[in-house]
Amino acid sequence: MITFDTWNDHEHVYDFEIQNETKGALDVLKWAYQQYGDELVYACSFGIEGSVLIDLVHQINPNAKITFLDTHLHFQETYQVIEAVKEKYPTLQIKIKQPSLSVEEQVGQYGENLWNTDPNQCCKLRKVIPLEEELNGVKAWLSGLRREQSPTRKHIQFVNKDERFHSVKICPLIHWTWKEIWRYAHKNNLPYNKLHDNGYPSIGCAPCTKAVLDINDLRSGRWSGHGKLECGLHQA
Ligand code: SF4
């Protein structure tokens, strides 16, 4: 098993065949579950990439472990799609991970609207630390990142050494385009977050997510005006 501690940049170059229907995703997932079994966790935000990756994961491991970081600041539509996914895939183990502070406690300690005054601190408290807790002792985690999504993601590999979480991060969807994601979702009638139909290509917490004007800039609706591209879960 390849772990953060045994990672060797020269030995571990992972090349999967990508000239197939899922552009390598199913092969990557088969490899990942053979390597890590129950020690593999999918941290899912339940956007459209999440809908697709859940469906692929379910084909390989119907009992896969999936974690959602519940910041208590998500849109109702996000909670609705989680319920729809639970109904469609009842064997998946979906965990809703909570931050240690409620929103009210955060206001008491850090003031109103920390997402405006210091979004990095807010993300740290409500996303990064909870994921750290979830990945503590976990050898590898799955993410639905795609290279096309933003300049910070264009060099991601299928298998990555993750310094931030002292783990191995596996990204099966790196070669998928936005159109391919939607084609797969519609063809397979997958449940998805209905905000996608209203101009939200990338969906995070409600205070930090806006509809976009330019659909070609998929993440421009996130932390608009803050010069922030990532929440801290994925290093730029
Ligand atoms: S996305 Fe916004 S509201 Fe959510 S944790 Fe980060 S700063 Fe806070």
Side-chain angles (χ1 to χ4, degrees):
M1 180 194 298
I2 312 304
T3 67
F4 178 87
D5 294 317
T6 62
W7 186 279
N8 178 325
D9 282 338
H10 300 294
E11 286 176 16
H12 306 317
V13 177
Y14 294 96
D15 222 1
F16 294 89
E17 172 59 51
I18 62 169
Q19 304 300 330
N20 52 43
E21 198 186 344
T22 64
K23 293 185 140 180
L26 278 180
D27 290 335
V28 172
L29 287 168
K30 273 182 212 152
W31 172 86
Y33 280 103
Q34 275 165 8
Q35 277 275 317
Y36 300 104
D38 252 9
E39 296 197 68
L40 184 60
V41 171
Y42 173 22
C44 182
S45 61
F46 287 88
I48 189 62
E49 287 87 358
S51 294
V52 170
L53 192 47
I54 283 171
D55 191 74
L56 297 172
V57 162
H58 182 260
Q59 291 174 38
I60 304 299
N61 180 3
N63 304 116
K65 291 179 179 170
I66 296 176
T67 292
F68 173 67
L69 302 174
D70 186 0
T71 61
H72 303 169
L73 293 162
H74 288 286
F75 293 96
Q76 273 316 307
E77 289 86 345
T78 303
Y79 296 106
Q80 285 163 3
V81 76
I82 293 172
E83 291 309 309
V85 165
K86 282 182 180 171
E87 201 170 311
K88 182 172 173 71
Y89 311 97
T91 55
L92 290 176
Q93 303 179 60
I94 298 178
K95 176 175 178 182
I96 308 297
K97 171 71 177 169
Q98 313 287 344
S100 61
L101 294 180
S102 68
V103 174
E104 293 72 26
E105 288 166 340
Q106 180 169 299
V107 169
Q109 291 186 31
Y110 295 90
E112 294 279 350
N113 303 339
L114 188 59
W115 43 89
N116 284 332
T117 58
D118 190 348
N120 288 334
Q121 179 67 15
C122 187
C123 278
K124 183 177 176 191
L125 292 167
R126 312 200 76 75
K127 289 184 173 181
V128 178
I129 293 174
L131 186 59
E132 257 170 20
E133 291 168 358
E134 268 313 279
L135 297 185
N136 186 19
V138 164
K139 300 282 185 292
W141 64 296
L142 284 172
S143 169
L145 299 185
R146 296 182 299 112
R147 287 183 178 174
E148 183 196 57
Q149 283 170 318
S150 77
T152 55
R153 299 182 176 183
K154 69 180 179 190
H155 299 298
I156 322 160
Q157 304 296 321
F158 280 132
V159 186
N160 307 268
K161 185 182 187 188
D162 187 346
E163 306 274 355
R164 178 68 189 77
F165 294 103
H166 209 75
S167 182
V168 172
K169 182 164 71 176
I170 299 164
C171 304
L173 299 181
I174 55 173
H175 295 295
W176 287 53
T177 65
W178 184 238
K179 273 191 186 157
E180 287 163 345
I181 288 281
W182 279 101
R183 199 177 301 135
Y184 184 93
H186 287 315
K187 185 177 161 200
N188 294 286
N189 199 22
L190 302 185
Y192 67 88
N193 193 318
K194 296 304 174 200
L195 285 174
H196 285 306
D197 294 337
N198 294 314
Y200 293 77
S202 176
I203 302 164
C205 300
C208 299
T209 308
K210 293 190 171 28
V212 300
L213 299 173
D214 178 3
I215 196 68
N216 293 313
D217 191 353
L218 295 176
R219 287 181 61 80
S220 60
R222 304 290 297 279
W223 303 285
S224 178
H226 285 281
K228 178 173 161 72
L229 291 175
E230 299 286 356
C231 56
L233 305 187
H234 308 291
Q235 288 179 327

